[in-house]
Amino acid sequence: LAKTTQPISMDSYEGQEVNITCSHNNIATNDYITWYQQFPSQGPRFIIQGYKTKVTNEVASLFIPADRKSSTLSLPRVSLSDTAVYYCLVGDRSSNTGKLIFGQGTTLQVKP
Amino acid sequence: DTEVTQTPKHLVMGMTNKKSLKCEQHMGHRAMYWYKQKAKKPPELMFVYSYEKLSINESVPSRFSPECPNSSLLNLHLHALQPEDSALYLCASSQVGPTNEQFFGPGTRLTVL
């Protein structure tokens, strides 16, 4: 499974757009990109998943350039409740299991 | 029902005790997972069950013994644990397959004295 690299921490203010970039230089053809969010003392929660170009849902957008060696999670107009750890994961679509390998994650602190 | 429940929420045990963690889901998922998470670290995969059969064991010590009695339940039996095993133990479930969203429970906070 490809290794991912993310910033350890980020600060933002309420109402701003936040972009968290994840580097995955060794991503393979069959790999997909998934982001999870985790609040303290809770289990991670799925945010978004993509393979290429752009994916958008009600919570976030995921931008993946053509070479797929990085991806950017975009959170529009963050609020205090978006303070959490965000994990970027790269997984193999061709495998038979849902094996998730979490990287170190990015701790996002949203300030008032 | 899109919830994964875990009991107990907190557990304190001695190194000679035997205890079990329980996980339950009613989403019809046929893949279930155990993760271990130490403070300020990412979750680490321990076991994966697919169709009630153990499919992945990430070289976990034998003092951790998983069990999947049916498609809705997952247990983790604990015996002769060490203080360094103190952590948050997370259960998750998903449809079988590599790309499917995993639904996590709130975890059991385990302290080994």
Side-chain angles (χ1 to χ4, degrees):
Chain A
L1 296 172
K3 180 178 161 68
T4 60
T5 304
Q6 305 172 234
I8 292 175
S9 64
M10 293 181 68
D11 288 341
S12 182
Y13 290 92
E14 282 190 293
Q16 288 188 332
E17 178 185 72
V18 171
N19 296 308
I20 305 175
T21 296
C22 178
S23 171
H24 27 81
N25 290 319
N26 296 320
I27 192 167
T29 303
N30 289 325
D31 287 343
Y32 57 95
I33 300 150
T34 311
W35 287 79
Y36 279 78
Q37 172 194 55
Q38 186 176 26
F39 298 113
S41 297
Q42 293 187 27
R45 183 176 73 101
F46 175 94
I47 301 175
I48 198 165
Q49 183 181 93
Y51 182 75
K52 60 181 179 180
T53 63
K54 176 184 174 181
V55 180
T56 298
N57 62 22
E58 65 277 7
V59 176
S61 294
L62 178 59
F63 299 92
I64 305 169
D67 67 5
R68 304 201 324 122
K69 292 184 183 300
S70 66
S71 58
T72 299
L73 174 72
S74 182
L75 304 172
R77 298 181 298 282
V78 295
S79 64
L80 295 176
S81 62
D82 292 314
T83 294
V85 179
Y86 292 82
Y87 293 102
C88 165
L89 300 94
V90 173
D92 185 355
R93 290 199 304 185
S94 65
S95 76
N96 292 323
T97 67
K99 184 171 178 175
L100 293 182
I101 304 298
F102 286 82
Q104 291 306 303
T106 297
T107 299
L108 172 66
Q109 179 70 50
V110 179
K111 302 175 183 177
Chain B
D1 182 2
T2 59
E3 190 180 20
V4 175
T5 59
Q6 291 188 244
T7 55
K9 289 191 189 308
H10 301 275
L11 178 63
V12 179
M13 61 186 290
M15 290 189 284
T16 59
N17 292 157
K18 285 185 181 181
K19 297 286 185 182
S20 296
L21 309 184
K22 297 185 184 301
C23 173
E24 189 167 4
Q25 57 88 15
H26 295 287
M27 294 177 277
H29 292 163
R30 301 303 294 277
M32 296 187 76
Y33 313 80
W34 281 114
Y35 291 83
K36 172 183 177 180
Q37 186 173 27
K38 302 281 276 184
K40 299 192 183 301
K41 296 291 186 183
E44 296 177 17
L45 182 66
M46 300 174 72
F47 302 104
V48 179
Y49 272 83
S50 180
Y51 297 109
E52 296 85 66
K53 294 191 187 305
L54 184 65
S55 62
I56 294 179
N57 177 342
E58 291 288 282
S59 303
V60 178
S62 59
R63 57 185 183 269
F64 295 92
S65 176
E67 178 196 22
C68 190
N70 61 54
S71 60
S72 299
L73 293 174
L74 185 66
N75 297 322
L76 186 63
H77 303 297
L78 314 173
H79 174 55
L81 294 193
Q82 304 296 310
E84 58 265 29
D85 296 321
S86 298
L88 182 68
Y89 288 84
L90 295 161
C91 172
S93 72
S94 74
Q95 301 287 355
V96 174
T99 65
N100 292 305
E101 174 185 351
Q102 291 189 18
F103 291 79
F104 284 79
T108 293
R109 177 75 60 189
L110 173 68
T111 301
V112 182
L113 300 177

